Each structure stands twice: as C-alpha cells, then as structure tokens.
Amino acid sequence: MKLILKEKILSILDSFNVYDENDDIYFKVKGKVALTHKTAIYDAKGREVGMVKEKIIDILPTFNLYKDGKKVGECKKKLTLIRPKFDIDFNGWEIKGNWLEWDYSIVDKNGKDVAVISKKIIRLTDTYVIDVKREEDALDALEADHDYLTAGGVFPEHLIKNYIARKRQECFEMSKIPNPAEFDRYFNL
C-alpha cells in the first residue's frame, strides 16, 4: 500500500494531505497552535483519528501519539552522529533515516522493513511517498489497538481475534504463491 504525503503550498502550521494511490485524500493533517508542536490527523471525512504532540521538556525531540485523547505510543529521537534514528514504543519498531533526513525506513525488531518513506525531489512542496510493505504489519497494529472497535459493544472481541487469525492465514497462503514478477522470472522459459 502506497500513500503520498503532500505539504500544502502556503502552510503556516504544518498542514498537509495524505493521498492514496488513486490520488484520493486518505488523511488530512493540520498543525495546531500550542506551546509545543501539535498536529491533528483526520480521515477523509474530517473525523479526528489521532494527535501528535511534542514533549516540552526533553533533551531530544520526543513525540507522544494519541488516539481518542489517550496516549497510545511515543516516538523519540536517539542520539546519533550521522544517521537520524527514532524509537517507536510499538512492537520494537525503529525509524532509521539518511543523513539528509529525506528518506526513512521503519524497521521491526528483526531489521525487516515495515514501511519506507522517501522524499520526492524537485517538487513545489515537500512530498513523501510512504510504502507500507506487509499487510501483516497492519494486522499487528489492529491486534495491539482495537479498543475503539469493541467500545460500546460494536464488535465483540472474539470477532476481531477471528478476523485477525483468518487474515494472517490468508497472508501465509498468499506468501506461498508466486507473484507475476516471480512467475515471469522463474517459470517463463
């Protein structure tokens, strides 16, 4: 799944949109006036889905991640000499960047890419492409945070667990099937 993050031309407070591969708005991100850097994330229909707030007192930049007003995670810059690195307190993930701070990889605790973020050069505004590598990572995120689905009895817990198990099985089965590029490379003699 690819998402394209495009900063607005005359944005004062770090406002930008995130588009899907069909160039439809997926998220709207709006900076807010506060003592620190504060950013709200909205879905395409304008409903707030998250908030990012920078901590006021910290040696290195630290950002708290919120959902429905509750802290769900933290992203903290690590002290490094050349390559910027950030720790995310979710699944042992880490963000690694190049020395220009234009391209980043989100890697899991085994060093495998979860997502790759790359800056598009020679654009009117800052534009990044976010390439989420595996559907399983989306399932990990759903498994770790689905309270909003069970609140008020909308979805029972067992239904979500069964859905995740079924999707994991589908991912496993699909991983055994050659994709068109593999088929062309190995079977098209």
Side-chain angles (χ1 to χ4, degrees):
M1 169 186 200
K2 287 192 181 186
L3 299 172
I4 296 96
L5 184 151
K6 296 179 184 177
E7 189 176 57
K8 293 183 178 178
I9 293 176
L10 296 173
S11 173
I12 297 172
L13 298 171
D14 279 343
S15 294
F16 52 88
N17 291 328
V18 179
Y19 300 87
D20 63 15
E21 293 175 277
N22 298 321
D23 210 28
D24 295 321
I25 292 178
Y26 202 78
F27 294 114
K28 294 179 181 183
V29 181
K30 296 179 182 176
K32 294 191 172 194
V33 176
L35 292 174
T36 64
H37 193 92
K38 184 177 177 182
T39 307
I41 304 164
Y42 302 91
D43 67 12
K45 294 182 180 177
R47 296 177 296 225
E48 185 174 306
V49 295
M51 175 79 65
V52 179
K53 296 179 185 177
E54 185 174 11
K55 276 189 178 178
I56 295 175
I57 302 172
D58 221 333
I59 296 170
L60 295 172
T62 301
F63 300 90
N64 290 322
L65 313 171
Y66 294 88
K67 182 173 187 166
D68 298 324
K70 291 189 261 180
K71 183 178 172 186
V72 294
E74 181 178 87
C75 182
K76 183 172 186 155
K77 188 167 187 175
K78 294 169 76 174
L79 184 60
T80 59
L81 295 176
I82 299 175
R83 288 181 57 149
K85 287 186 180 182
F86 296 82
D87 279 330
I88 305 174
D89 69 351
F90 176 76
N91 279 353
W93 291 355
E94 182 179 60
I95 301 174
K96 297 179 179 182
N98 70 12
W99 65 276
L100 293 173
E101 296 191 37
W102 284 356
D103 298 311
Y104 294 90
S105 292
I106 301 173
V107 297
D108 64 16
K109 55 189 165 198
N110 298 319
K112 292 184 180 177
D113 283 342
V114 173
V116 175
I117 304 163
S118 56
K119 183 173 184 172
K120 295 295 176 189
I121 302 174
I122 310 174
R123 303 290 171 127
L124 192 55
T125 62
D126 284 345
T127 302
Y128 293 87
V129 174
I130 305 163
D131 187 7
V132 179
K133 297 296 184 181
R134 302 173 336 123
E135 185 176 350
E136 293 91 338
D137 293 321
L139 292 173
D140 288 341
L142 176 62
E143 191 169 43
D145 179 23
H146 60 267
D147 294 341
Y148 62 97
L149 294 173
T150 57
V154 176
F155 290 104
E157 184 76 26
H158 74 277
L159 179 73
I160 294 170
K161 287 185 178 186
N162 289 342
Y163 174 81
I164 292 169
R166 184 174 300 143
K167 285 296 182 182
R168 286 194 193 285
Q169 183 62 34
E170 285 178 18
C171 289
F172 174 73
E173 290 170 6
M174 290 301 292
S175 71
K176 296 189 291 185
I177 299 171
N179 66 41
E182 291 172 324
F183 188 84
D184 188 51
R185 177 178 288 157
Y186 301 115
F187 299 112
N188 191 9
L189 301 175

